[in-house]
Amino acid sequence: MSIEVAISRMSQIQAMLAAQSPMPAQQAKPAAFSAALATAQAGTGAGANTNFAALASTAPATATTAAAATGASELPAGTPYAAEITAAAKANGVDPALLAGLVKQESGFKPDAGSPAGARGLTQLMPATAAGLGVQNVLDPVQNLNGGAKYLKQQLDAFGGDIAKALAAYNAGPGAVKRFGGIPPYAETQNYVRIVQQNAASFRTASAPAAAAAPSATPYSPSNQPSEI
């Protein structure tokens, strides 16, 4: 038998064997894999699948929550409640630095601060004032800041945008400012007006480089601020 004939014969035999038994070893591998997977799933139980599902659903929610909690700030880095103060100030048409200066003097940025007279929270709202401003939880930082910003805006409007008189009214009441025709002759109120304005100036100075890169904010004026509803 020649070599060519032998090779041809071997090819025929291989083709016959392949037709009778189509690669049993390769077919066994998927079956073995499926069995192993089923065994692993049965051994770990439904709890493992539940944990992976929880992780998959929690990650996007966490990212969304973090994004929602992070807002734009016009105050220096490291200022407590900077984003919340900025949001409350801009929503009510006041200078974020002025509101931050007020909060620093009123509560030292402590949301649970309280006074013997009954004022509470970051902006030290009295219960009756808070209720009139629509603040339901005076210890909630966002509600308190919005209430304080709204009240400060009311005083700015009432006194023609005069920041000193508005701060005096915030501290001593608008009646006292009207009665004396300006800042009342109370040492506490006079110190309050001076310190809050100094605080506000320090916040503006510290954030000046960032502000220079961004469009400048429009200065406060009753004519260009949203009116109270």
Side-chain angles (χ1 to χ4, degrees), residues 175-195:
V177 177
K178 292 176 182 178
R179 186 166 62 254
F180 288 100
I183 301 174
Y186 310 146
E188 177 188 340
T189 301
Q190 292 178 351
N191 287 333
Y192 177 88
V193 172
R194 176 179 53 81
I195 292 172

Side-chain angles (χ1 to χ4, degrees), residues 61-72:
T62 302
T64 302
T65 301
T70 305

Side-chain angles (χ1 to χ4, degrees), residues 60-196:
T62 302
T64 302
T65 301
T70 305
S73 169
E74 295 185 4
L75 298 170
T79 303
Y81 299 100
E84 292 85 349
I85 291 172
T86 299
K90 295 180 78 67
N92 290 278
V94 300
D95 178 9
L98 182 61
L99 181 60
L102 181 149
V103 172
K104 182 178 180 179
Q105 177 62 16
E106 289 283 0
S107 64
F109 297 104
K110 296 178 181 178
D112 58 349
S115 74
R120 305 292 299 278
L122 289 170
T123 61
Q124 290 292 280
L125 297 176
M126 294 293 288
T129 303
L133 295 167
V135 177
Q136 297 179 348
N137 182 1
V138 76
L139 295 180
D140 178 80
V142 172
Q143 290 189 42
N144 192 287
L145 287 169
N146 274 283
K150 185 176 181 180
Y151 188 67
L152 179 58
K153 172 62 165 59
Q154 290 176 355
Q155 305 316 311
L156 285 165
D157 285 348
F159 295 99
D162 188 313
I163 293 176
K165 290 181 180 179
L167 292 174
Y170 195 101
N171 176 261
V177 177
K178 292 176 182 178
R179 186 166 62 254
F180 288 100
I183 301 174
Y186 310 146
E188 177 188 340
T189 301
Q190 292 178 351
N191 287 333
Y192 177 88
V193 172
R194 176 179 53 81
I195 292 172
V196 171

Side-chain angles (χ1 to χ4, degrees), residues 13 27 56 74 152 172 204:
I13 293 172
Q27 289 181 352
E74 295 185 4
L152 179 58
R204 294 189 194 100

